[in-house]
Amino acid sequence: YPGIYHMIEIPKEDWHLLPSVPKDQDAANLSAEAEEELKKRGYIIGKLSRVIFYEPGVKETNWSATPIVRGVDGVRRRWVYLHFFKQGQPTINWLDPSFGGMKLVIGDALHSIDQLGSRGLRLDANGFLGIEKTDEDKPAWSEGHPLSEAANHLIAGSVRKVGGFTFQEFNVALDDMQAMASGGADLSYDFVSRPGYHHAVATGSVEFLRMMLLEAKRFGIDPVSMVHALQNHDELTYELVHFWTVHKDDIYTYRGKDMPGGELRTVIQTELREAITGPNAPYNQPHTENGIACTTASVITAALGIKDFLDITEEDIQLVQKAHLLMAQFNALQPGVFAMSGWDLRGVLTLDPDQIRNLLKDGDTRWLERGSYDIMDVNPQAEASLSGMPKAPCLYASLPDQLDDETSFASQLKHMLAIRESLGLALAKQIDLPEADDQAVLCLVHRLPSENGGQLQATILNFANREVSTTITSTHFAGSGSVHDQLNDESLSGPDKDGVLQLKLQPYQARCLIFNQ
């Protein structure tokens, strides 16, 4: 279809405004000055709200120029095209009169369902479909645009019409995330808590994680509507867009200090970088300003102070496994969808940069976390995948071997997921986030679905590598009798008449409590 992309032909008399393109590439990023000049001349809408994957000398704007291309008609042309993400990923023009982009997206979605058998589809960056020029002094309106909501409704509605569902992977301010989900995608990827629970493991404090959960509650984002995930193909994203754009001047309290959202964002990013990258963990590397290239396991090794993978002991592996399981329990023992990857199942670590220099040459450090792995140990001698991706170091055994060992990561995960299923936690209602008197402890209180007994349930997690004795008070606990820890099959003393519950937790221990009321 013609008109799919924001791709503008630049007349030859203005080619001098465009950058030269290296022979081994098919485009070159525009400088901010070229972007502004092309806007003044009426070719493009110019600067957008932000430059995702910003990196000096690599991606300074959201626009790139092609080299001279000879068409089938013999005419030599050059174009400038818009891309929110990496070069070579042109942005679809949702308002082109040809409706080419709309046809492409809807056709692809329905083909995935009807022909390929998919039932759930990811809507990636679905909030960037609406773009509108503003006045000369302001960036174009490219986030939170009503057209994005309308387009999202159309895509999600088309998928629902044929029996599928969608989830949006859209890292924006929480108000925009909620607006986009209203009548649009059925679920949202959990960008709310992902940096928070990593920060909790890295620092041993849940203060920021709990803040994010309360902030989501303030904007009406229910955990049952989200996909709570461990590692995926992307970096640990800590853009914290919520505190960068709409709420940068709002005041938040962190570590006893009041600060604007923009300052809070800088503090959290700094704490994460210092804890899990740099000299203390050289195997994890920043990915532009978006986040950190790492695996779940390598976040934990960094938090434990392990500087070199060659120094990891069997005792270290057991501790990594405990923290890894805790992160899984946080994501799974709450309402919503739980997701994880094969990298998690094998406890995969990052690759040695020297193994993939060709993939890192454009600055995309995320390839460090995408090493190949063999879940079933079908070919133990292999050093790389069929596509040539080097095999990554793994802390855990193959899946069959893990399932033969009841103490393994996979076996304990299986036990936890069976409890989640039996309680109906996926469809529970989160009713409280009481504060514990120890900064390492997080408490999530839920009401189970009526078909699962409608009981009161609490997920309580210790994010520190130390034993804690803690007190948690919730009005929902008042009037309860004894409690039973489903994870550890242990009966515990219940709360007092005022709803005060006292607990002990081992390092990186979680409890899944059912209250007898």
Side-chain angles (χ1 to χ4, degrees), residues 65-86:
T66 70
I68 298 172
V69 179
R70 182 184 176 91
V72 293
D73 56 2
V75 177
R76 294 157 62 87
R77 298 179 176 89
R78 293 193 72 182
W79 289 272
V80 168
Y81 67 90
L82 178 67
H83 56 97
F84 275 94
F85 297 109
K86 296 182 68 175

Side-chain angles (χ1 to χ4, degrees), residues 188-202:
S188 299
Y189 187 86
D190 186 0
F191 283 112
V192 177
S193 70
R194 191 169 187 234
Y197 74 79
H198 284 82
H199 181 268
V201 168

